[in-house]
Amino acid sequence: MKPAVLMVDVDGVVVRHPDPSGWSARIEDDLGVPRLALQARFFKPWWDDVVHGRATLRDRLTPALAEIAPHVSCDQLISYWFEGDAHLDDALLFQLAEVRGSGVPLHLATVQEHERASYLWNALRLCGRFDDIHYAAQLGVSKPSQDFYAAVEQRVALPASAIAFIDDTEKNVEAAIARGWRAALWTPGATLRSLIPKLYD
């Protein structure tokens, strides 16, 4: 039976940075922000709270920047981050457009905080390519927790068996399969037709 919806991960799937080190690889040269200090003062202690909606990005990033790079504003860092981590996989988007054109809605299922989710949806215009977005800060849980998949099912009012899903992280795919989703591991150059042939029934 054809899936009622296709859920798609963002980072590593729809958005794929050409540098394996990611958006912050040159942040010290470009902005004068020490990369390791940013990890130690912001991401390591606060990211879990931010990405699950328990704290805002700016409330946690502002004091960290004041300590490690007082010459850089929160707006500057966020713009550098979001714009630098916005490399769309056009080949995948072409395949997804075909699936959507056949009548299968496309939804994003992703681990994001509120501001980047809004940037992806509005500034990057993924709202024109997808029908909805489900993300960690909105739900209060993240992949691979079974609670994430259950919350998405509740939002779309569909049983697990009606949902297809692609993600580039094996543990997320395994958790979705355990939940009953038709999930497949996405790798660059793969085709949706080979991974989830039922999309083309």
Side-chain angles (χ1 to χ4, degrees):
M1 191 169 125
K2 194 168 187 172
V5 64
L6 173 60
M7 298 287 171
V8 184
D9 180 39
V10 172
D11 293 304
V13 182
V14 174
V15 172
R16 206 157 45 85
H17 202 286
D19 187 332
S21 298
W23 66 270
S24 63
R26 293 184 48 81
I27 196 169
E28 192 153 7
D29 292 337
D30 293 341
L31 294 184
V33 176
R35 188 181 187 197
L36 293 179
L38 184 63
Q39 287 290 331
R41 297 291 186 270
F42 171 65
F43 283 103
K44 188 173 180 181
W46 300 121
W47 184 243
D48 191 67
D49 283 344
V50 171
V51 83
H52 289 106
R54 296 189 294 266
T56 72
L57 173 61
R58 291 170 187 272
D59 282 351
R60 295 296 182 260
L61 182 58
T62 299
L65 284 175
E67 180 182 349
I68 65 173
H71 62 287
V72 176
S73 71
C74 199
D75 283 341
Q76 284 177 297
L77 192 286
I78 290 172
S79 293
Y80 179 87
W81 171 4
F82 291 2
E83 291 168 15
D85 204 13
H87 301 267
L88 295 174
D89 186 331
D90 291 326
L92 172 58
L93 288 170
F94 180 80
Q95 295 181 60
L96 290 169
E98 287 187 323
V99 169
R100 193 184 191 202
S102 75
V104 178
L106 303 177
H107 291 202
L108 295 171
T110 179
V111 178
Q112 306 291 337
E113 54 76 43
H114 292 298
E115 284 206 43
R116 185 159 182 257
S118 177
Y119 178 86
L120 292 165
W121 195 245
N122 298 303
L124 211 55
R125 301 297 299 162
L126 292 182
C127 61
R129 300 174 184 265
F130 293 84
D131 299 286
D132 206 346
I133 182 172
H134 317 283
Y135 63 95
Q138 169 197 67
L139 303 174
V141 288
S142 59
K143 296 176 281 186
S145 168
Q146 289 291 304
D147 291 340
F148 178 90
Y149 305 97
V152 172
E153 290 165 23
Q154 186 173 20
R155 289 195 87 228
V156 298
L158 287 170
S161 59
I163 300 173
F165 175 57
I166 57 169
D167 194 294
D168 68 318
T169 302
E170 193 168 354
K171 63 183 180 181
N172 294 342
V173 172
E174 290 173 350
I177 291 171
R179 180 74 191 174
W181 291 20
R182 284 181 269 184
L185 185 67
W186 178 258
T187 55
T191 65
L192 292 173
R193 188 177 291 275
S194 64
L195 291 178
I196 310 176
K198 286 290 185 181
L199 288 168
Y200 297 86
D201 284 356

